[in-house]
Amino acid sequence: MKPTTYVLLIAAFFTSACEAGEAISAETFGDQWPLTVDSGRIDCIAPNAAVFIHNGTTYQLNGMAQSRGYALINPIWRDNPDIPGTKISISPLLRAALALC
């Protein structure tokens, strides 16, 4: 195999690795979007660690991801305007991420 072929294969691997998971956005969820950022990617890292990725940071969506040391979702988790002191449910994001396992 030619050296340029190796370079192309390595580049393809890293490009696909950066695009892991599935794109998701506030547009999909409307008022039920649970985050303060407009978009990102969800993914499931075996076994069952559900994550949300935004601007290079991987946030946990469940306890399995938290136990692996991913960043807490709290800084970008949106307050529920209807029930003071609570947050919008992240369950739809969690279900979508776990569906990728």
Side-chain angles (χ1 to χ4, degrees), residues 15-31:
T15 301
S16 65
C18 292
E19 295 298 320
E22 182 177 298
I24 196 160
S25 71
E27 189 175 299
T28 308
F29 288 84
D31 291 340

Side-chain angles (χ1 to χ4, degrees), residues 35 42-43 50-52 59-63 65 73 90 93-94 97:
L35 305 174
I42 53 169
D43 202 358
V51 297
F52 176 80
Y59 297 94
Q60 53 82 8
L61 292 174
N62 64 2
I73 195 76
I90 61 169
L93 287 183
L94 176 59

